[in-house]
Amino acid sequence: MRKRELTKQELIHFGSSERFGNMARIVVVGGGLSGVASALAIADSSPEDEVILVESRAQLGGRVSSIKDPKSGLLLDNCQHACFRVYDCFLQLLARCGARDSIKLQAKTDLPFLQVGGGRIASLSDGRLEPPNHMAGSMIKFPFLSLSDKIAMRKVIKELSEMTPEQMSALDDLNFEQWLIEKGQSQRAIDRFWGFFVLAALNIPVSQASAALSAFLFQRGLFGDAHAFDVGAFTSDLSDSLHPHLLRTLEESGVEVKLSTKVNSISKENGLKVCLSKEIISCEKIVVALPHHLTGRLLSEFSEIVEAVDHLEYRSLIGIHALHSAEVLPKSFTFAVCVDEPIIQMLFNKNSEIDEEKMPEGIGQWVSVPISCGDKWLDWDDEQFLEEYRRVVKGTYPHLWNEPDSFVVIRNRKATFAPLPGSEKYRLSQDLIAKDGIYIAGAWTNTDWPSTMEGAVRSGLLAASSLLNENWNPEKKWRWWPSPPKRRDDSWRTW
Ligand SMILES: Cc1cc2nc3c(=O)[nH]c(=O)nc-3n(C[C@H](O)[C@H](O)[C@H](O)COP(=O)(O)OP(=O)(O)OC[C@H]3O[C@@H](n4cnc5c(N)ncnc54)[C@H](O)[C@@H]3O)c2cc1C
């Protein structure tokens, strides 16, 4: 890492119009992963510039955060957040911020599927064959699909893995289910395999998902590099895993971080200005790193932005935390996909993720349930979710069952943008309004990735790259940042 000769504080007389040499003042709006990545990348690449990051909440991390449960006083994640080894940029950001320990990654891909009621578990895992056939061994034995399902799937896997980016983009107006049916996929294969991965990764049912982004998911993820789908879990609550590391690193890099400070408006009159409640910051460049509806509001004078974001929709995610005084899942249980379950789609055993010293006292078992695209159930009351949870967990492991002491449901209405057919054209390029000195970032902008932590970090780096005229290739690492982890890299933890 490059060392700065003088700190920014020594060089800058903040608030004055005084500038040293070619130094520019850059304001990043939003301290989610996209804004943090952008601010840090600019500070690392261009230490002579002054970077200010403004975040309306008291902590960094945006949608990757925890909230305090008023009843138990515990910090609970807004929802289970999973990452994968294929999240190159997100993992680089963690490494850059000294937060490697915040994550543990599987040493080998292992995706367990659970038969609710019966308790049978079968995993999809990588074996000896080269991608895209690295899962073939486990797939042959996979009991939840028939032989004819699997034979039909082989052709589609080959087609997806050989698709060019142009062929993929051309599928954007189709929904993926329609495409799969045309390719001879059975309803069982769609429900139990294709549909599950689309729902979990794109946060949308397969019948509504853009075939282009779905194809990308399978090409890049499940059937990409053999290590791509190694699952990663956070080792503490989300806020503790990110906020202190992000804040410290930004500040050490000379970025001024203004927390609990909302940007009310942006003005272009007589130079760029960012208007806060108590001050106005004049600057040369701005990165707006917000969700799409807030970007539209803040940049309402740019019709090309307003029109595009008006076309984008959101989908919700519901996070459930069940805290039991004793175990309700077998000891070896890490997480599992619940086959044929539309509501309790997955179960995560937080005891297997969270470091022992971070585990709140008195909890025998902490189960976390993410309900992807939970829009249909947003109006359910907590008791209805508990009944459903009881049916699944008690019904599968009746001998272990004990009622949860605490059962918390967190409804995230605007969780991710909806990758509907035809939506890719509304995901705007980070440099769309660069001629005005304004760049946009956020998981919804054009990154080719779904609305994920990786998509957010990529968008921030793409915005930084165009602001700095770096011409960064997103398949390469960010110049000043450490490399993402390969398997057997013992500077990263294993799950
Ligand atoms: C419940 C849930 C579960 C998810 N699960 C996963 C998962 O398992 N895996 C995965 O990869 N991704 C997951 N995601 C998606 C991922 O969290 C997001 O795609 C990503 O965090 C978005 O980052 P961002 O920087 O684009 O936006 P945000 O995180 O929304 O950041 C925007 C920031 O701007 C701030 N802000 C807003 N308005 C202003 C203003 N006027 N002035 C200043 N600051 C402002 C906000 O407070 C926020 O901090 C999940 C998302 C949710 C909500």
Side-chain angles (χ1 to χ4, degrees):
M1 199 64 49
R2 269 191 308 182
K3 280 258 182 292
R4 203 179 297 280
E5 302 285 9
L6 289 169
T7 66
K8 293 253 169 82
Q9 279 69 25
E10 287 165 311
L11 279 169
I12 294 158
H13 177 58
F14 178 71
S16 82
S17 55
E18 216 175 321
R19 292 288 197 284
F20 294 82
N22 291 328
M23 189 174 79
R25 181 178 292 153
I26 298 154
V27 178
V28 178
V29 184
L33 290 176
S34 60
V36 169
S38 215
L40 189 56
I42 295 167
D44 282 344
S45 305
S46 185
E48 60 282 2
D49 290 333
E50 177 194 3
V51 185
I52 302 170
L53 185 146
V54 187
E55 163 57 44
S56 59
R57 296 203 286 168
Q59 61 178 16
L60 299 171
R63 273 171 270 175
V64 193
S65 62
S66 323
I67 50 179
K68 198 167 187 172
D69 172 36
K71 260 204 218 149
S72 62
L74 291 176
L75 272 176
L76 301 176
D77 298 347
N78 59 357
C79 188
Q80 180 74 28
H81 269 69
C83 81
F84 301 90
R85 202 181 288 276
V86 70
Y87 281 15
D88 281 357
C89 297
F90 171 67
L91 294 167
Q92 283 176 62
L93 175 69
L94 289 189
R96 169 66 185 93
C97 295
R100 285 180 164 94
D101 284 354
S102 294
I103 286 278
K104 43 190 181 190
L105 287 157
Q106 288 180 329
K108 185 175 178 316
T109 306
D110 182 36
L111 308 168
F113 283 66
L114 168 72
Q115 179 194 32
V116 169
R120 179 175 191 185
I121 290 193
S123 281
L124 291 177
S125 51
D126 69 306
R128 296 222 176 103
L129 295 178
E130 287 295 305
N133 299 315
H134 53 297
M135 302 255 182
S138 62
M139 192 78 100
I140 289 166
K141 292 187 234 144
F142 194 62
F144 303 120
L145 296 172
S146 72
L147 183 62
S148 61
D149 295 336
K150 294 172 195 174
I151 292 170
M153 283 169 68
R154 281 201 62 182
K155 265 176 70 184
V156 174
I157 292 170
K158 186 165 184 296
E159 182 169 348
L160 285 170
S161 59
E162 289 172 357
M163 226 175 240
T164 63
E166 294 71 31
Q167 288 168 329
M168 229 179 254
S169 299
L171 297 180
D172 189 46
D173 286 332
L174 274 186
N175 81 58
F176 194 48
E177 183 173 48
Q178 189 184 335
W179 187 85
L180 289 169
I181 291 170
E182 280 165 22
K183 299 289 167 188
Q185 298 303 286
S186 68
Q187 199 55 50
R188 183 176 36 228
I190 292 175
D191 292 342
R192 293 187 172 177
F193 182 82
W194 303 107
F196 163 72
F197 286 106
V198 168
L199 183 63
L202 306 190
N203 196 30
I204 198 160
V206 63
S207 58
Q208 298 174 17
S210 147
L213 206 57
S214 307
F216 172 83
L217 160 72
F218 289 101
Q219 185 183 79
R220 190 63 186 265
L222 211 59
F223 303 120
D225 290 337
H227 62 240
F229 237 60
D230 295 348
V231 183
F234 284 91
T235 55
S236 181
D237 69 75
L238 292 173
S239 293
D240 183 49
S241 296
L242 293 181
H243 167 75
H245 305 284
L246 303 179
L247 181 63
R248 190 197 57 245
T249 311
L250 286 165
E251 289 183 339
E252 282 173 3
S253 311
V255 176
E256 183 184 352
V257 181
K258 288 175 177 287
L259 294 175
S260 307
T261 307
K262 188 177 172 200
V263 171
N264 295 322
S265 60
I266 285 174
S267 151
K268 290 195 300 172
E269 247 171 69
N270 303 321
L272 285 176
K273 292 187 188 64
V274 175
C275 308
L276 317 177
S277 301
K278 293 192 181 141
E279 67 179 304
I280 294 176
I281 309 176
S282 301
C283 57
E284 280 70 40
K285 289 177 182 169
I286 300 174
V287 179
V288 174
L290 301 179
H292 62 85
H293 73 291
L294 298 178
T295 306
R297 244 181 250 168
L298 206 56
L299 298 176
S300 57
E301 63 180 285
F302 295 90
S303 58
E304 60 274 52
I305 291 195
V306 175
E307 277 163 30
V309 301
D310 273 356
H311 282 94
L312 288 175
E313 294 179 19
Y314 280 101
R315 289 294 180 270
S316 68
L317 260 154
I318 300 172
I320 296 179
H321 296 272
L323 306 166
H324 301 261
S325 53
E327 283 171 358
V328 287
L329 300 172
K331 285 225 175 330
S332 58
F333 195 106
T334 49
F335 70 92
V337 177
C338 301
V339 177
D340 294 338
E341 289 295 332
I343 304 173
I344 309 292
Q345 303 146 3
M346 294 188 83
L347 296 169
F348 285 82
N349 175 8
K350 297 297 276 181
N351 300 57
S352 77
E353 302 175 6
I354 295 194
D355 286 339
E356 228 173 288
E357 69 274 14
K358 304 263 174 156
M359 198 71 180
E361 276 184 23
I363 295 175
Q365 180 108 65
W366 182 342
V367 183
S368 155
V369 180
I371 304 182
S372 294
C373 196
D375 298 55
K376 273 197 260 174
W377 301 288
L378 280 171
D379 295 335
W380 270 26
D381 60 36
D382 293 5
E383 190 53 43
Q384 287 172 289
F385 285 110
L386 176 56
E387 225 170 88
E388 190 63 10
Y389 172 77
R390 205 184 274 128
R391 182 183 66 74
V392 168
V393 178
K394 184 178 179 184
T396 307
Y397 302 111
H399 55 293
L400 292 174
W401 179 254
N402 57 92
E403 283 292 321
D405 297 334
S406 189
F407 188 82
V408 182
V409 182
I410 302 170
R411 296 161 183 82
N412 302 272
R413 287 170 195 273
K414 290 190 167 80
T416 61
F417 78 85
L420 292 161
S423 57
E424 279 299 292
K425 57 181 165 294
Y426 304 118
R427 298 185 68 188
L428 302 176
S429 171
Q430 290 75 20
D431 62 0
L432 182 77
I433 51 170
K435 60 178 180 356
D436 291 287
I438 303 176
Y439 300 78
I440 53 173
W444 68 276
T445 58
N446 184 10
T447 62
D448 294 335
W449 277 71
S451 181
T452 53
M453 298 184 282
E454 174 68 7
V457 175
R458 268 174 191 253
S459 75
L461 293 180
L462 284 164
S465 164
S466 71
L467 184 149
L468 296 161
N469 288 318
E470 282 264 345
N471 203 16
W472 171 64
N473 171 357
E475 301 317 314
K476 300 255 160 73
K477 74 179 199 69
W478 188 257
R479 199 145 42 109
W480 309 105
W481 292 6
S483 300
K486 296 219 162 44
R487 279 183 180 170
R488 287 183 284 280
D489 176 344
D490 58 14
S491 64
W492 288 79
R493 302 172 63 190
T494 304
W495 190 16

